[in-house]
Amino acid sequence: MLDVLTRFAPMLADGALITLKITLLSVSMAALLALPLSLMRIQESRFLRWPVQLIISFFRGTPLIAQLFLLYYGSGQFRPFLMEMGLWGFFRDPVNCAILTFTMNSMAYQTEILRGALQSVDKRSVEAGKAMGMPMNLLYRHIVLPLAYRTAFPALGNEVILMLKGGAVASVITVMDLMGQTRRVFSQSFDINVYLVAAAMYLIIAIVFVSIWRLFERYLNRHQSHRVIRRKPITNRTALN
Amino acid sequence: MDNLALLSFGSQGWGDELLKGLCITLLLAFLALPIGLIIGTGVAGLSVSSSRFGRAFATFYTTLLRGLPELLTLFIIYHGLGLLLNQLIKWLNPDIKYVEFSPFAAGIIALALVFSSYAAEVIRGAWQAMDKGQKEAGIALSMNRWLIFWFIERPQIVRLALPGLGNLWINLLKDTALVSVIALDDLMRAANIAVGATKKPFLFYLSVCLVYWLICILCERVLFKMETRLNRGISAGK
């Protein structure tokens, strides 16, 4: 076991870095895209709502690996066109395709999470803001979005973990992420321990991430972390009523 | 029209190959579902039990399997279990040569394990959401724990856990696409083969995506119907 670690650790560490890079990049880009989309999704107008619903439904209803193949191999079918547009250099690189696919996929899930959070914002908070004469952008910046993100925060953390795990399929299109390096090392050594080491690395990344996310969550909800003051039970409640 | 001909059935088109792949995909999902549900219920039972060891095991099991990429779980089962099996066979009978571990079995085991770990959490949630009085009523009627589970807890767990389990079922359907990586001829791999022969990747992968999408939408509809039916006794106003 230790032998495997010392021999293959540098490769696996390289892979882990790429996994981290791909995950963080696609999740954060998806977060930027998810906000306007979720705002569109909660509008009354069908023309704003339906396209977003269609995108979300597609990305949530098809396997990530199929989306990845569609983009990476499928773009090859349009090679002359893409070359003309000067985009072929982008689509030729599997890492770019993986990041683009994961961004779109994560965007769909994050939009749905944010939609739920936006709709769960207490109507009275919005009304209070309106009563103070807040214009729309101020209302969203200071009332709706902080409340929505606070609600959505745990679910968004789950989404990052899902992306971290789902990202392993990038190895199928020859991206040398943690999974890709693991598969390469296994095909050279036929040592099953490599998989176990990779499993441990994925778990460690996930656990570290979850701990950091919890800290952030506690920071966001710090206004609720007051001590509970225990009062003496009111004994003559029936008399009061 | 050329593209449609490629997707048609018969000797020219790839429609029948894709359909065969779809059957494998559905077979995998439908076989992994009951196994996963049984293991998941067992693990959920451990996590609500009074035994400290049982609870620790349940936590370990769900954390481990939910923290690993599905693809990695699949490889560990496929290669690891295959090696283990071969060592066992060699130990029993040294004359037998290397036996290939069936990718189909590996796929079902891996998918069932992943499904069970998520299902265990959903079922545990439903189990704990149930009113304690229900169980106490059973005890008062001197029912044993199996009778309580089967006649009192199970029907309510099904109702409470169905939305979560429905999501997991759709995830399971999508995860079946991963088995194409270990050379199992499911829908995804049928498309890979077709692409290799026809050099039309976009066409085939898009059709495969649409098939998965259609199945998922269909499943969502059915699950919605099931939820409405299971909740028919509960007042809608809540």
Side-chain angles (χ1 to χ4, degrees), chain A residues 57 60 62 73 77 109 165, chain B residues 66 118 174 201-202 209 213:
Chain A
S57 172
R60 300 197 341 155
T62 53
Y73 294 118
Q77 206 172 321
Y109 282 93
K165 291 173 0 146
Chain B
R66 293 188 313 152
Y118 283 94
K174 292 192 291 173
F202 191 78
C209 277
W213 194 10

Side-chain angles (χ1 to χ4, degrees), chain B residues 157-168:
Chain B
I157 287 173
V158 170
R159 184 176 69 81
L160 291 171
L162 190 71
L165 290 178
N167 281 339
L168 294 182

Side-chain angles (χ1 to χ4, degrees), chain A residues 54 57-67 69-70 73-78 109 161-162 164-166 168-172 179 182-183 186 190-192 195-196 198-200 202-203 206-207, chain B residues 3 63-72 75-76 79-81 83 118 170-171 173-175 177-178 180-181 188 192 195 199-206 208-210 212-214 216-217 220:
Chain A
L54 197 72
S57 172
F58 177 80
F59 282 105
R60 300 197 341 155
T62 53
L64 186 57
I65 190 170
Q67 294 162 16
F69 280 11
L70 181 66
Y73 294 118
S75 62
Q77 206 172 321
F78 305 105
Y109 282 93
I161 296 286
L162 284 181
L164 171 76
K165 291 173 0 146
V169 297
S171 66
V172 181
M179 190 73 213
T182 309
R183 288 175 68 187
F186 181 79
F190 286 104
D191 190 344
I192 194 70
Y195 279 130
L196 302 184
Y202 268 112
L203 278 182
I207 289 169
Chain B
N3 288 344
T63 314
L64 181 72
L65 275 168
R66 293 188 313 152
L68 290 185
E70 293 80 0
L71 197 60
L72 187 60
F75 277 123
I76 290 178
H79 294 302
L81 219 56
L83 279 175
Y118 283 94
I170 288 174
N171 275 347
L173 270 175
K174 292 192 291 173
D175 282 346
L178 293 175
S180 63
V181 181
M188 199 66 222
N192 288 347
V195 166
K199 306 283 176 248
K200 291 250 187 233
F202 191 78
L203 170 72
F204 281 105
Y205 290 132
L206 187 66
V208 163
C209 277
L210 292 180
Y212 277 113
W213 194 10
L214 204 72
C216 283
I217 290 174
E220 269 170 16

Side-chain angles (χ1 to χ4, degrees), chain A residues 105-125:
Chain A
N105 187 277
S106 188
M107 177 191 79
Y109 282 93
Q110 289 190 33
T111 304
E112 199 62 4
I113 293 169
L114 271 184
R115 175 193 65 88
L118 282 170
Q119 285 176 339
S120 77
V121 170
D122 195 338
K123 290 270 171 341
R124 288 169 300 182
S125 316

Side-chain angles (χ1 to χ4, degrees), chain A residues 145-183:
Chain A
L145 290 181
L147 286 172
Y149 271 107
R150 216 172 273 158
T151 315
F153 204 73
L156 290 175
N158 279 343
E159 168 52 27
V160 179
I161 296 286
L162 284 181
M163 208 62 251
L164 171 76
K165 291 173 0 146
V169 297
S171 66
V172 181
I173 57 162
T174 69
V175 172
M176 276 299 151
D177 66 340
L178 181 49
M179 190 73 213
Q181 292 284 10
T182 309
R183 288 175 68 187

